[in-house]
Amino acid sequence: MLESAAPPAARLAARCARTLVSPWSRLSLLVVVLLAAATTMLLLQPQHLIAAGWPPQLSGVSAVVLFAAAYGGCTAAFVPRPLLNLAAGALFGSQAGLGAAIAGTVLGAGIAFGLGRGLGQSALRPLLRGRWLKAADGQLSRHGFRSMLAIRLFPGVPFAAANYCAAVSRMGWLPFLVATGLGSIPNTAAYVVAGSEASSPTSPTFLIAMGFIALSGLGAAVVAWRKRHRLSGA
């Protein structure tokens, strides 16, 4: 005897389950998560750490580790990294501050990459139809490590935008994280040193750090201009 058809309640539950795990549902969830994170950061205003300082009850290695974790969460929620890098230098000095900033950078990039890969990739990849979008996706998918290293060394592309673009591409986890860690060191170090020397704005160390930041910004503009013309001809 043939089994009876599934009851309406079971069919409705299966349909709801398929809807919840569909690409567009996951993308909607990603948008909600990012909006909630950005709103939380606007309310908490973590940039006040630069002026208010780190809580006095936290010190030593535990403070550096906690700052790195907070840094990662803040960058995933669109807090500008230059502010956090300056705070790292002002709070912990150049060496410990650089370690915390780089660790937080990789952590935040990994969080954003994981969210974008898990919740947004399947819905957004079919939309890559424009010439520039296809060229950028092909560059990241075929030459992920080299492309991401260049993006981090010449920070013309916003940090969060680079993370989510890489997540939508076919770039692997390991090349993305390694390129992010290595490529972020020079510019991050300049900001951290500037933060550690902020009380002496006329010191040679501070002026050298600010000069490097200006030169890296100029280099980013040149690279972006050349890449734009290259993509236009692709």
Side-chain angles (χ1 to χ4, degrees):
M1 182 176 181
L2 295 176
E3 294 183 0
S4 60
R11 292 199 299 269
L12 178 61
R15 189 177 305 162
C16 291
R18 287 195 300 269
T19 302
L20 289 175
V21 299
S22 68
W24 286 103
S25 295
R26 295 201 300 271
L27 180 62
S28 300
L29 177 60
L30 174 62
V31 172
V32 171
V33 169
L34 295 180
L35 287 176
T39 302
T40 301
M41 290 300 106
L42 287 175
L43 294 175
L44 294 178
Q45 298 183 335
Q47 65 271 20
H48 288 170
L49 282 173
I50 299 176
W54 195 248
Q57 62 269 26
L58 296 173
S59 61
V61 177
S62 60
V64 175
V65 172
L66 184 58
F67 179 88
Y71 185 116
C74 287
T75 55
F78 307 109
V79 176
R81 287 182 60 249
L83 289 176
L84 298 172
N85 293 333
L86 291 171
L91 294 173
F92 304 111
S94 58
Q95 295 183 359
L98 178 59
I102 292 297
T105 296
V106 175
L107 175 62
I111 292 172
F113 188 87
L115 287 173
R117 180 60 57 87
L119 299 178
Q121 187 189 46
S122 56
L124 294 177
R125 280 205 65 82
L127 303 179
L128 299 176
R129 295 171 183 161
R131 183 176 59 184
W132 283 22
L133 290 176
K134 284 186 176 180
D137 174 66
Q139 185 73 16
L140 287 171
S141 298
R142 292 192 300 270
H143 311 289
F145 178 83
R146 184 177 67 189
S147 300
M148 188 53 57
L149 187 65
I151 289 172
R152 302 308 192 193
L153 286 172
F154 300 100
V157 180
F159 184 73
N163 294 336
Y164 291 108
C165 286
V168 174
S169 75
R170 294 188 175 91
M171 184 178 184
W173 275 88
L174 185 59
F176 171 77
L177 294 177
V178 174
T180 294
L182 294 177
S184 299
I185 291 175
N187 200 261
T188 301
Y191 277 101
V192 170
V193 170
S196 67
E197 298 290 332
S199 59
S200 305
T202 58
S203 65
T205 303
F206 180 85
L207 295 176
I208 291 172
M210 295 305 295
F212 182 86
I213 293 170
L215 287 176
S216 66
L218 179 61
V222 172
V223 171
W225 181 80
R226 294 183 62 184
K227 184 64 68 176
R228 175 179 177 273
H229 284 273
R230 187 176 300 174
L231 290 177
S232 297

